[in-house]
């Protein structure tokens, strides 16, 4: 039976990594709706009574090195996976125990190898997560504490920090194990030849996508209206004692921060994550100061520097975007309609039109070609394409030009585009020469998985491991019970 790319013959050996990664990510992928549902549907904790009438309390399921896996840890992982949108239907309790054992083994060995993690970075990431969870709970800390069954913000923050620290240690340990692994062309050939023809992977349909983007122009008059409005806010706060937080909640157009009074994740001088114009203004302020209005690619802002804590700056901001005049919208649409007519009439190629007309710097000089961020090349696999992009190109034939499409991105709340597809390669069985890059990737992954399996086998023997009760009956892929073979 032939398999798709994501179902290669070695996928079973990847399963534990997939589960591990899902669990590492699950703490950060809970959506607002899922948090609400979790709160509504949350069952009361039940106390299990044994057959002899005694109450069963939380016990030790296993020990790896100095790390303990509790029975409640297993239940909690299932809850987090479910909350993160990961299906748990086909994950058994034994598989979950095995994953937890592997995670503890990585952390234990990371400590033994004196792997260093960036504490400030983990604390910053913890702050970001906590702020994200708070947004999902509509800014209510009591509600958030109830959802996570914690007594205080400090307790919740400490738990999130500990999870992030352990995840970072495990990840760095995994990276260390496979850091220097490479494959030679001969190893790639051997890997390909070892796959039975009936099990050769199927490469999904691939194609290239090009686009032409036109953004409606905003007039200076509309920009000045926004600047004047922000100056009104600033004056009201400084001279009349109005609340910056309230202004942000009522008027800011940054949907991510407005519910929190414009509060952003802490800015760190040594980690320039924010755009330059925003950083320059924020870091030029004194504690308690409010900036003049200034412009970034997102619109116009005023910033309130709330507190400075060493390298960390706690800031709030109010974002306003100028209105786009209807005449500018109509002009942008018409411009693309005219370009489309010229391309269809053969007066200009799509690539040349993109270079001449498109307002997206990332693609215009490549003739409008979109870069696949996952692979680093210009080919897109239909089975792994972003759903919104797939919906826009689904019905296009090679060389066909789409109608003018309404679109938006993080920067532009309104823009218009034309799309075309080319170089379509239909679904086919992987061929060594034709699909060498993908086959090489499969071979490299296979080699890394074997290295991880070998590392695990050796470290399990060297490390103190103990399983208790029913968990000793599990059939693990790894030899956690240290049975002689």
């Amino acid at each position: 039976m032939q398999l798709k790319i994501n179902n290669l013959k070695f996928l079973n050996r990847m399963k534990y990594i997939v589960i591990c990664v899902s669990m590492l990510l699950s703490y950060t992928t809970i959506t607002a709706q899922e948090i609400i549902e979790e709160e509504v549907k949350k069952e009361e904790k039940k106390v299990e009574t044994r057959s002899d009438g005694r109450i069963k309390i939380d016990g030790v399921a296993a020990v790896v090195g100095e790390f303990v896996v509790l029975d409640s840890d297993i239940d909690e992982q299932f809850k987090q996976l479910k909350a993160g949108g990961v299906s748990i239907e086909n994950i058994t309790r034994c598989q979950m125990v095995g994953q937890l054992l592997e995670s503890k083994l990585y952390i234990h060995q990371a400590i033994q190898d004196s792997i260093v993690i960036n504490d400030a970075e983990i604390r910053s990431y913890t702050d970001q997560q906590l702020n994200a969870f708070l947004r999902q709970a509509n800014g209510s800390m009591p509600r958030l504490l109830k959802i996570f069954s914690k007594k205080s913000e400090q307790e919740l923050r400490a738990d999130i920090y500990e999870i992030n620290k352990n995840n970072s240690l495990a990840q760095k340990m995994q990276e260390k194990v496979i850091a220097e692994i490479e494959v030679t062309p001969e190893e790639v050939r051997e890997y390909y030849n070892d796959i039975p023809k009936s099990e050769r992977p199927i490469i999904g349909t691939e194609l290239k996508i090009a686009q032409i983007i036109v953004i409606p122009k905003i007039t200076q008059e509309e920009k000045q209206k926004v600047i004047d409005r922000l100056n009104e806010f600033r004056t009201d706060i400084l001279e009349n004692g109005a609340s910056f937080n309230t202004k942000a909640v009522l008027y800011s157009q940054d949907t991510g921060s407005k519910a929190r009074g414009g509060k952003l994740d802490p800015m760190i001088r040594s980690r320039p994550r924010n755009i330059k114009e925003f950083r320059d203004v924020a870091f030029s302020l004194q504690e308690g100061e409010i900036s003049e209005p200034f412009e970034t690619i997102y619109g116009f802002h005023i910033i309130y520097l709330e507190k400075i804590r060493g390298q960390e700056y706690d800031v709030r901001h109010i974002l306003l975007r100028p209105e786009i005049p209807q005449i500018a919208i109509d002009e942008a649409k018409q411009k693309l309609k005219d370009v489309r007519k010229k391309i269809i009439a053969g007066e200009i190629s799509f690539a040349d039109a993109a270079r001449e007309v498109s307002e997206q710097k990332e693609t215009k000089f490549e003739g409008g070609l979109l870069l696949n961020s996952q692979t680093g090349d210009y080919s897109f696999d239909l089975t792994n394409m972003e759903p919104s992009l797939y919906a826009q190109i689904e019905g296009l034939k090679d060389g066909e030009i789409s109608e003018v499409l309404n679109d938006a991105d993080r920067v532009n709340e309104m823009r218009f585009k034309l799309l075309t597809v080319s170089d379509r390669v239909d679904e086919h069985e992987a061929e060594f020469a034709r699909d060498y890059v993908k086959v090489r990737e499969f071979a490299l992954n296979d080699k890394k998985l074997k290295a991880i399996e070998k590392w695990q086998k050796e470290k399990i023997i060297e490390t103190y491991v103990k399983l208790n009760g029913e968990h000793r009956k599990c059939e693990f892929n790894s030899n956690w019970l240290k049975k002689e073979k």
Side-chain angles (χ1 to χ4, degrees):
M1 177 181 177
Q2 290 185 319
L3 305 175
K4 295 286 186 183
I5 293 175
N6 59 348
N7 282 321
L8 296 173
K9 66 171 187 173
F10 58 80
L11 192 58
N12 285 335
R13 283 179 282 164
M14 291 184 67
K15 185 176 292 184
Y16 71 90
I17 288 183
V18 173
I19 294 174
C20 180
V21 171
S22 297
M23 294 180 70
L24 295 185
L25 293 176
S26 66
Y27 216 92
T28 63
T29 56
I30 305 174
T31 65
Q33 181 179 356
E34 287 160 346
I35 278 194
I36 293 170
E37 289 176 351
E38 178 69 15
E39 181 179 19
V40 172
K41 296 180 180 179
K42 199 171 189 180
E43 297 180 359
E44 295 183 1
K45 293 183 178 179
K46 297 179 181 178
V47 178
E48 183 177 343
T49 304
R50 292 159 46 123
S51 57
D52 57 8
R54 290 183 295 175
I55 295 176
K56 178 183 177 181
I57 61 174
D58 195 11
V60 175
V63 179
V64 179
E66 298 178 358
F67 291 90
V68 173
V69 177
L70 298 174
D71 289 324
S72 59
D73 292 337
I74 304 168
D75 298 328
E76 189 62 28
Q77 293 292 359
F78 274 111
K79 290 179 184 177
Q80 289 187 17
L81 278 177
K82 189 174 181 180
V86 178
S87 173
I88 61 175
E89 183 178 352
N90 297 319
I91 302 176
T92 67
R93 195 169 181 84
C94 284
Q95 286 176 324
M96 188 65 74
V97 172
Q99 187 280 323
L100 285 169
L101 293 174
E102 290 165 9
S103 177
K104 300 300 183 186
L105 181 65
Y106 281 119
I107 298 167
H108 169 77
Q109 194 59 45
I111 294 173
Q112 301 302 309
D113 289 2
S114 301
I115 286 180
V116 178
I117 55 176
N118 189 323
D119 187 69
E121 191 172 292
I122 293 173
R123 291 192 183 281
S124 175
Y125 183 50
T126 298
D127 288 339
Q128 293 175 41
Q129 286 179 301
L130 190 60
N131 288 335
F133 291 149
L134 195 57
R135 287 197 297 271
Q136 294 161 4
N138 294 326
S140 171
M141 180 57 71
R143 185 183 183 198
L144 187 63
L145 296 176
K146 183 180 178 181
I147 291 169
F148 284 96
S149 302
K150 301 301 176 185
K151 297 179 181 177
S152 66
E153 178 183 342
Q154 290 74 21
E155 182 183 355
L156 177 58
R157 186 181 298 274
D159 280 1
I160 298 175
Y161 170 82
E162 193 64 23
I163 289 173
N164 288 334
K165 184 185 77 171
N166 289 337
N167 287 349
S168 181
L169 283 169
Q171 180 182 351
K172 287 184 178 296
M173 190 67 245
Q174 286 180 337
E175 291 171 353
K176 181 179 178 181
V177 173
I178 62 176
E180 298 180 1
I181 295 178
E182 294 291 344
V183 286
T184 65
E186 185 56 33
E187 286 176 318
V188 177
R189 183 179 295 278
E190 289 177 1
Y191 168 82
Y192 179 81
N193 290 336
D194 284 343
I195 302 175
K197 184 169 177 55
S198 61
E199 296 182 13
R200 294 269 167 83
I202 297 297
I203 308 296
T205 298
E206 292 184 325
L207 46 75
K208 292 180 179 178
I209 303 171
Q211 65 183 17
I212 300 173
I213 301 288
V214 171
I215 302 167
K217 299 293 185 292
I218 299 173
T219 64
Q220 191 58 44
E221 181 183 359
E222 293 298 331
K223 290 183 179 181
Q224 191 59 48
K225 286 180 182 178
V226 166
I227 293 171
D228 293 342
R229 185 69 167 142
L230 288 173
N231 274 322
E232 289 176 9
F233 294 160
R234 185 173 185 271
T235 300
D236 195 22
I237 295 166
L238 293 176
E239 297 183 5
N240 303 322
S243 167
F244 189 101
N245 300 11
T246 301
K247 297 282 188 187
V249 170
L250 292 175
Y251 304 111
S252 181
Q253 292 176 287
D254 178 8
T255 55
S257 69
K258 69 174 298 176
R260 295 179 293 140
K263 188 173 181 61
L264 300 172
D265 295 331
M267 296 177 62
I268 304 176
R269 275 191 175 275
S270 58
R271 291 181 61 206
R273 291 188 302 105
N274 305 85
I275 57 177
K276 183 179 185 302
E277 295 87 350
F278 198 95
R279 293 198 313 271
D280 289 346
V281 173
F283 293 143
S284 70
L285 297 175
Q286 299 297 316
E287 192 172 290
E289 192 175 0
I290 299 175
S291 74
E292 301 278 352
F294 66 97
E295 186 177 11
T296 71
I297 57 176
Y298 296 104
F300 289 84
H301 315 249
I302 53 173
I303 294 177
Y304 168 45
L305 179 55
E306 195 167 37
K307 191 172 185 60
I308 300 175
R309 296 179 285 114
Q311 288 284 309
E312 294 189 359
Y313 283 55
D314 291 338
V315 300
R316 295 178 185 269
H317 83 133
I318 297 174
L319 168 68
L320 294 182
R321 296 187 180 95
E323 287 191 17
I324 304 172
Q326 185 60 47
I327 188 171
I329 295 172
D330 295 339
E331 287 175 354
K333 285 184 178 179
Q334 190 59 50
K335 185 175 184 179
L336 276 183
K337 288 180 180 178
D338 293 342
V339 169
R340 184 175 185 273
K341 288 179 181 178
K342 289 182 179 180
I343 296 172
I344 292 174
E347 297 176 22
I348 190 172
S349 69
F350 192 97
D352 287 340
R355 296 184 185 98
E356 183 179 313
V357 174
S358 185
E359 297 175 18
Q360 186 182 54
K361 294 179 181 178
E362 296 86 353
T363 60
K364 71 174 296 177
F365 300 111
E366 299 298 330
L369 280 175
L370 286 175
L371 185 68
N372 188 334
S373 59
Q374 295 180 346
T375 62
D377 60 25
Y378 294 107
S379 293
F380 286 81
D381 182 346
L382 283 181
T383 60
N384 293 323
M385 188 177 295
E386 182 184 330
S388 59
L389 180 59
Y390 178 82
Q392 291 176 334
I393 60 95
E394 181 181 9
L396 288 181
K397 300 175 182 177
D398 269 20
E400 187 178 358
I401 314 299
S402 73
E403 298 291 338
V404 176
L405 302 171
N406 292 355
D407 198 35
D409 60 14
R410 291 194 312 135
V411 176
N412 303 288
E413 56 184 336
M414 182 181 293
R415 64 179 192 172
F416 301 98
K417 69 180 178 181
L418 296 175
L419 286 170
T420 189
V421 299
S422 63
D423 300 316
R424 188 187 303 264
V425 178
D426 292 329
E427 182 177 280
H428 63 280
E429 181 183 297
E431 300 173 16
F432 180 76
R434 181 183 187 181
D435 304 300
Y436 179 81
V437 174
K438 287 186 170 58
V439 174
R440 183 186 180 281
E441 182 182 346
F442 301 155
L444 180 60
N445 287 337
D446 191 59
K447 190 173 181 179
K448 288 178 178 179
L449 288 166
K450 288 176 180 176
I452 288 174
E453 289 175 350
K454 182 175 181 292
W455 179 90
Q456 269 198 10
K457 184 177 180 180
E458 293 171 353
K459 296 305 176 185
I460 288 173
I461 298 300
E462 297 174 7
T463 306
Y464 175 77
V465 179
K466 182 180 180 181
L467 282 90
N468 295 322
E470 62 184 7
H471 308 300
R472 297 186 61 83
K473 300 176 183 178
C474 290
E475 293 291 333
F476 297 110
N477 290 329
S478 300
N479 188 21
W480 294 109
L481 294 172
K482 300 187 180 183
K483 297 177 181 178
E484 294 186 6
K485 295 184 179 180

